[in-house]
Amino acid sequence: MDNAVPLDSAPGRATLASAPHIGTRSRPPAGTPRPEHFGGHPMVGTFFYDGKPLGGKSTYCTGSVVHTAAHDIVLTAGHCGRGLQRATHRIFVPQYRDGLSAANQPRGVFAVSQMYIDPRYVANTKKPTSDLDLAFAQVDPNSRGKVEDVTGALTFTPTTTYTHKVTVIGYPSSESVNVKHQAIRCPVTTSRLPGFRQVRMTCTGFYGGVSGGPWIEDYNRATGTGKVVGNTGGYNGGGNDANDDWVTYAPIYGKDAKNLFNDAAAHRTVGARPPYQPLTDARF
């Protein structure tokens, strides 16, 4: 598992760290919040897979442990999950610390054994099925136990509204924009992304690698706990058409997300779904 490397091969938010927003990119409006780099939380981490040692120049996407009876489920973005599906060796590293070996990571590393993704989801699409940009990774225990027992967990929380006070957490992947590979967090108030079951927030510094990161309501800064109502992802892999680092989207969780969560929590094969029906303002 030391020989795991990030893969950012798909378009969308997941690749932005290799090309920091400079030059012709639009500038954020005055007063746009800036994120805080911090030491992270045990239940939020990042992924590596296939080929080079953990501790390289890039991380992959962000994930967060969510509470289930099985104590072994990690939430991330659907487009991140597609990459993990293709991998041979894949690990989740809670509260990742750059410069430390796998054996010396604060909570160790956890091998990913299974991915749960809605079969209707197409990676980094701008179509309505971008509402389905979430995935769950089932991870094996390490020498310390099951991941939730080691790290604690967030509460996966379906919602019927679009305005939430949340703290968004993620790991920008490239050392060119995140020298120490630290987690960032930004407290924001969300608004609806019109035409989608998604929310929008503005905060600078959300480059590639933050995909899959939790949007946490009732966030406790000391413990990291709270209710996760969305994850970075959605339209265009989680960002606008210009790929501005300060505009970020997240699917929020209705019936389809809850069904996928239930499959993951039960370690149940994800079955066929009916054609996706985008929901209107009148029918959440």
Side-chain angles (χ1 to χ4, degrees):
M1 284 300 130
D2 268 345
N3 293 325
V5 68
L7 175 93
D8 282 347
S9 61
R13 177 68 77 181
T15 64
L16 299 184
S18 62
H21 304 307
I22 57 175
T24 60
R25 300 295 185 195
S26 59
R27 294 188 177 185
T32 300
R34 298 176 62 86
E36 170 193 16
H37 285 81
F38 75 116
H41 294 299
M43 69 285 292
V44 183
T46 187
F47 296 91
F48 294 88
Y49 60 94
D50 285 351
K52 293 183 180 179
L54 178 153
K57 293 185 177 181
S58 296
T59 59
Y60 185 47
C61 291
T62 302
S64 58
V65 181
V66 288
H67 173 64
T68 64
H71 287 205
D72 62 0
I73 297 297
V74 179
L75 167 69
T76 189
H79 65 271
C80 301
R82 291 294 185 208
L84 291 168
Q85 276 185 322
R86 300 191 299 269
T88 303
H89 300 289
R90 49 197 183 176
I91 57 173
F92 173 66
V93 187
Q95 202 170 13
Y96 174 64
R97 288 288 186 270
D98 185 36
L100 298 183
S101 69
N104 291 316
Q105 290 295 322
R107 271 77 191 174
V109 304
F110 294 84
V112 176
S113 58
Q114 181 66 40
M115 294 303 304
Y116 300 88
I117 306 172
D118 193 302
R120 298 166 295 182
Y121 174 68
V122 176
N124 301 305
T125 184
K126 298 180 182 181
K127 296 180 179 180
T129 53
S130 62
D131 293 344
L132 305 174
D133 193 2
L134 72 155
F136 296 96
Q138 179 184 338
V139 300
D140 293 334
N142 65 15
S143 61
R144 307 179 192 193
K146 292 185 175 182
V147 67
E148 185 176 337
D149 297 328
V150 174
T151 68
L154 299 170
T155 303
F156 181 81
T157 308
T159 182
T160 58
T161 60
Y162 294 98
T163 302
H164 299 268
K165 291 183 178 180
V166 298
T167 294
V168 180
I169 298 177
Y171 282 82
S173 64
S174 173
E175 65 180 9
S176 65
V177 294
N178 188 14
V179 176
K180 297 181 180 180
H181 295 300
Q182 287 183 297
I184 61 172
R185 63 183 168 192
C186 195
V188 294
T189 298
T190 66
S191 59
R192 185 176 185 181
L193 176 62
F196 296 85
R197 184 196 273 139
Q198 296 176 41
V199 289
R200 176 184 186 274
M201 71 92 167
T202 58
C203 184
T204 63
F206 277 75
Y207 297 97
V210 299
S211 288
W215 296 38
I216 308 169
E217 194 167 45
D218 297 336
Y219 170 68
N220 184 311
R221 284 178 61 93
T223 65
T225 55
K227 299 181 293 187
V228 58
V229 298
N231 59 267
T232 299
Y235 180 89
N236 193 34
N240 65 3
D241 291 334
N243 284 332
D244 293 310
D245 69 293
W246 51 274
V247 179
T248 305
Y249 305 137
I252 53 174
Y253 306 139
K255 179 180 178 181
D256 293 297
K258 185 176 181 180
N259 287 342
L260 184 64
F261 171 75
N262 289 340
D263 284 342
H267 297 173
R268 186 166 54 228
T269 299
V270 179
R273 280 11 184 198
Y276 182 64
Q277 298 295 324
L279 299 182
T280 66
D281 288 334
R283 188 171 61 89
F284 192 91

